[in-house]
């Protein structure tokens, strides 16, 4: 039974990440390379593992402090990147390619997205540290789920981006803004 509960935790924590990678795949559809997908997916998985492990190890002390502002950070990062994607989708092709903040070609963007999508793993680690859930199994399941869902999200986003072009980049940006808003409303206790 512990395997199933660990897998469910891992899948639930990787869903925001899946949506973000679909949006990123839409924006990157022409430049998406296997090496990029694997590198970014690994970065997202590593960020989730680090955040989950940190939350687990630090327990309730860290949770009290992070819980106050994690949703604001996630919202700001996702809204900013989503806004840049929306703006870039309305620009001409040659000028849109110069707008690198909505693309995955900078370490700054990759780190920002990895942190924004993994903050919930930090709090989940804090919460699960007080339960009999097995740390190793849950952390491993989370890392694998994030890696797999990231690769699948990039692939799906790239397919949609190739088929529907700039409209998918705009919709991907809108999706990032809504994901950020959802995380903010959840953090404020409204949703």
């Amino acid at each position: 039974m512990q395997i199933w509960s660990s897998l469910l935790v891992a899948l639930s924590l990787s869903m925001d990440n899946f949506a973000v990678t679909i949006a990123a795949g839409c924006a990157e559809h022409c430049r998406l390379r296997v090496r990029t997908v694997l590198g970014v997916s690994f970065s997202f998985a590593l960020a989730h593992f680090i955040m989950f492990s940190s939350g687990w190890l630090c327990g309730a002390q860290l949770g009290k402090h992070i819980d106050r502002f994690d949703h604001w950070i996630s919202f700001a990062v996702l809204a900013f990147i989503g806004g840049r994607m929306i703006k870039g989708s309305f620009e001409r092709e040659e000028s849109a390619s110069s707008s690198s903040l909505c693309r995955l070609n900078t370490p700054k963007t990759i780190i920002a997205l990895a942190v924004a999508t993994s903050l919930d793993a930090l709090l989940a680690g804090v919460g699960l540290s007080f339960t009999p859930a097995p740390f190793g199994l849950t952390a491993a399941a989370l890392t694998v789920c994030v890696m797999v869902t990231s690769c699948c999200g990039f692939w799906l986003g790239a397919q949609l981006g190739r088929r529907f072009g700039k409209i998918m980049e705009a919709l991907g940006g809108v999706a990032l803004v809504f994901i950020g808003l959802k995380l903010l409303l959840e953090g404020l206790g409204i949703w």
Side-chain angles (χ1 to χ4, degrees):
M1 194 60 161
Q2 288 181 345
I3 292 173
W4 291 110
S5 60
S6 294
L7 188 58
L8 286 175
V9 167
L11 282 173
S12 65
L13 288 174
S14 64
M15 286 299 104
D16 288 341
N17 186 71
F18 181 61
V20 167
T21 55
I22 289 174
C26 288
E28 292 282 329
H29 65 90
C30 293
R31 292 169 298 285
L32 205 55
R33 296 184 194 133
V34 172
R35 188 172 72 164
T36 302
V37 169
L38 292 176
V40 174
S41 297
F42 178 77
S43 299
F44 286 1
L46 181 63
H48 275 75
F49 177 78
I50 290 170
M51 291 290 200
F52 181 78
S53 300
S54 298
W56 189 287
L57 295 174
C58 295
Q61 294 303 316
L62 184 61
K64 291 177 192 173
H65 301 293
I66 298 296
D67 193 35
R68 286 185 249 161
F69 60 87
D70 69 330
H71 46 279
W72 288 103
I73 295 170
S74 295
F75 172 71
V77 169
L78 293 174
F80 178 73
I81 293 171
R84 296 289 300 207
M85 286 176 69
I86 294 167
K87 181 183 174 205
S89 72
F90 290 109
E91 294 175 350
R92 289 190 328 208
E93 190 68 36
E94 62 272 2
S95 63
S97 65
S98 66
S99 176
S100 65
L101 281 174
C102 63
R103 309 269 185 225
L104 293 173
N105 58 359
T106 64
K108 187 175 171 183
T109 302
I110 295 168
I111 291 169
L113 285 173
V115 169
T117 59
S118 65
L119 284 172
D120 56 346
L122 180 74
L123 295 175
V126 170
L128 289 175
S129 68
F130 299 107
T131 68
F135 169 75
L137 182 61
T138 307
L142 174 62
T143 305
V144 170
C145 278
V146 169
M147 186 77 180
V148 170
T149 57
S150 294
C151 290
C152 292
F154 281 123
W155 178 82
L156 180 59
Q159 297 303 315
L160 292 171
R162 283 187 199 107
R163 184 168 176 110
F164 299 106
K166 288 288 194 180
I167 188 116
M168 286 310 299
E169 184 174 352
L171 289 174
V174 169
L176 286 183
V177 172
F178 277 118
I179 291 167
L181 185 60
K182 173 189 158 283
L183 292 172
L184 178 63
L185 293 175
E186 284 176 351
L188 294 174
I190 297 171
W191 185 327

